[in-house]
Amino acid sequence: MAGTSRRDRHSMISRDTTFGVFLTIQTGAGFLGNCLLFTLYMYTFFALPHKKKPADGILAHLTLANSLTILFRGVPNIVRSFGMRPKISDTECKLVLYIHRVTRGISLYTTSLQSSFQAVTIAISSCKWAWLKNNISTFIQPSMFFCWIINMVMYSEIILKIEAIRNTSDVTSWYYRPFCKVRVPDHQVAMAVHSSMIIQDSLVLSLMACSSIYMVTVLTKHHRTAQSIRSSARCSGSSPERKATQVILTLVCCFIFFYWTDSFLTAYSHFGSKLNWQLGNINIFITSCYPTICPFILMKNENRISRVNFFNSSRTRIFFSLK
């Protein structure tokens, strides 16, 4: 029995280490990709404002939120996977979990806002919403400010109840993380918080879905019109709006897929009879997939990154060629 127990423990440690390696690669790639794009947007904004695009403000918030989400979600789980158990204070737990939850909400909001912005951009000019198309850029910064405020307020109630885990066998908390837990003795408060999250996510996802359906409809109509004048190849290849719309649709599809997969796994783990660490690891990996692949999808439509030159093995320089 003792030998079997040691073998099981060794097998679990081996699986956790393997998961830690994969999670480290995912976290590193996603963090670097988002930081690269965020640096590009900031450099364009301050150094070359005449090269700035209307959507750069939204994408700068998206890449910043993705970077922080990956960092504060990935690092604690990487540390746990490699068997390290650092002493974490309640304040550190509050800060890490709060930043992760807020930036995750910002990622949801900005993806929806970007899809809505793109839908308005490709809208027919003669429609009754033409005034919105001409003034959409003026609404971006107030919308982003509102996104940050509403998420910071929404998760402030949860963060007040976070505390560090002193006993690793204690898994009876309502919200569980490698080093932190939150207990909510008031069932009504817990239901109110959950309900507000569900309502918020449902509204934002609905807006995202409506924008995506509209963009698909416009693209389909555009393609049929191009075919009728026998120039579909030239038209589809030379339209930057079409390329940008396809990128945004890809982002939205990825986000919705990973969001509902994460929601299903989270619900299953909460209602399960016991804590399943393998399922938890899969959920952690799935949660970080969207912020990881997001910058690389955006790069497909980013012609301002034209060259990456490496000089000397000990020194790396990245040049942005802004067209």
Side-chain angles (χ1 to χ4, degrees):
M1 292 293 292
T4 303
S5 178
R6 281 195 296 268
R7 283 195 300 270
D8 292 342
R9 193 181 306 112
H10 178 74
S11 177
M12 181 177 296
I13 293 174
S14 178
R15 287 196 299 268
D16 284 345
T17 303
T18 302
F19 172 73
V21 171
F22 280 104
L23 192 60
T24 301
I25 296 173
Q26 182 193 51
T27 301
F31 184 75
L32 290 176
N34 282 287
C35 286
L36 175 63
L37 280 184
F38 180 75
T39 303
L40 170 66
Y41 299 137
M42 290 296 98
Y43 178 77
T44 305
F45 182 82
F46 290 107
L48 296 170
H50 60 284
K51 300 291 186 180
K52 185 176 63 174
K53 297 180 179 180
D56 283 355
I58 302 175
L59 297 179
H61 284 275
L62 177 60
T63 51
L64 175 61
N66 284 342
S67 300
L68 295 176
T69 300
I70 292 172
L71 192 65
F72 285 91
R73 172 72 164 177
V75 172
N77 288 288
I78 291 172
V79 171
R80 175 189 63 82
S81 299
F82 287 108
M84 293 178 279
R85 294 292 183 268
K87 293 183 178 180
I88 305 296
S89 67
D90 291 344
T91 301
E92 291 169 333
C93 276
K94 293 175 187 293
L95 183 64
V96 170
L97 188 55
Y98 182 68
I99 293 176
H100 168 252
R101 294 301 302 179
V102 169
T103 54
R104 182 179 178 274
I106 294 297
S107 182
L108 169 64
Y109 267 90
T110 49
T111 303
S112 178
L113 184 61
Q114 177 63 16
S115 65
S116 302
F117 176 84
Q118 190 61 34
V120 173
T121 301
I122 66 173
I124 302 173
S125 300
S126 59
C127 69
K128 62 182 179 179
W129 298 105
W131 66 271
L132 181 59
K133 183 175 181 177
N134 296 329
N135 298 281
I136 185 66
S137 299
T138 61
F139 297 113
I140 292 178
Q141 293 305 322
S143 298
M144 293 310 310
F145 179 76
F146 174 76
C147 291
W148 282 96
I149 293 298
I150 194 173
N151 279 277
M152 292 172 69
V153 171
M154 178 173 295
Y155 294 110
S156 61
E157 178 66 26
I158 297 177
I159 211 64
L160 294 175
K161 305 180 186 304
I162 292 292
E163 60 183 25
I165 295 177
R166 271 77 181 183
N167 182 7
T168 57
S169 63
D170 181 11
V171 294
T172 59
S173 56
W174 169 65
Y175 194 88
Y176 187 77
R177 283 295 177 266
F179 308 109
C180 309
K181 64 182 178 181
V182 52
R183 297 184 181 276
V184 184
D186 191 342
H187 181 70
Q188 292 182 346
V189 173
M191 289 299 297
V193 172
H194 271 298
S195 299
S196 63
M197 292 180 187
I198 293 173
I199 293 173
Q200 171 197 242
D201 290 358
S202 299
L203 290 175
V204 176
L205 287 171
S206 298
L207 179 61
M208 195 184 301
C210 292
S211 301
S212 301
I213 293 172
Y214 177 78
M215 286 189 286
V216 170
T217 303
V218 172
L219 287 180
T220 303
K221 188 179 297 184
H222 177 270
H223 182 68
R224 289 176 180 174
T225 303
Q227 282 185 327
S228 66
I229 61 175
R230 300 179 180 277
S231 61
S232 60
R234 181 182 62 189
C235 205
S236 62
S238 60
S239 173
E241 291 82 7
R242 182 182 179 89
K243 293 180 181 179
T245 302
Q246 291 173 343
V247 168
I248 299 305
L249 286 173
T250 303
L251 275 181
V252 170
C253 291
C254 290
F255 184 90
I256 292 176
F257 172 77
F258 289 122
Y259 176 87
W260 286 113
T261 303
D262 173 43
S263 298
F264 173 79
L265 293 176
T266 302
Y268 182 82
S269 62
H270 275 304
F271 291 104
S273 58
K274 60 180 181 179
L275 186 64
N276 189 327
W277 285 109
Q278 293 180 350
L279 183 63
N281 287 343
I282 295 174
N283 194 15
I284 292 168
F285 189 84
I286 291 293
T287 303
S288 301
C289 280
Y290 174 75
T292 298
I293 67 175
C294 177
F296 301 102
I297 296 176
L298 291 173
M299 286 178 191
K300 292 179 60 178
N301 192 51
E302 188 52 77
N303 59 3
R304 289 174 291 184
I305 304 178
S306 65
R307 236 177 9 183
V308 179
N309 293 331
F310 298 90
F311 295 96
N312 304 325
S313 59
S314 61
R315 192 172 176 183
T316 302
R317 296 178 180 176
I318 301 178
F319 292 90
F320 297 113
S321 178
L322 302 181
K323 301 178 180 179

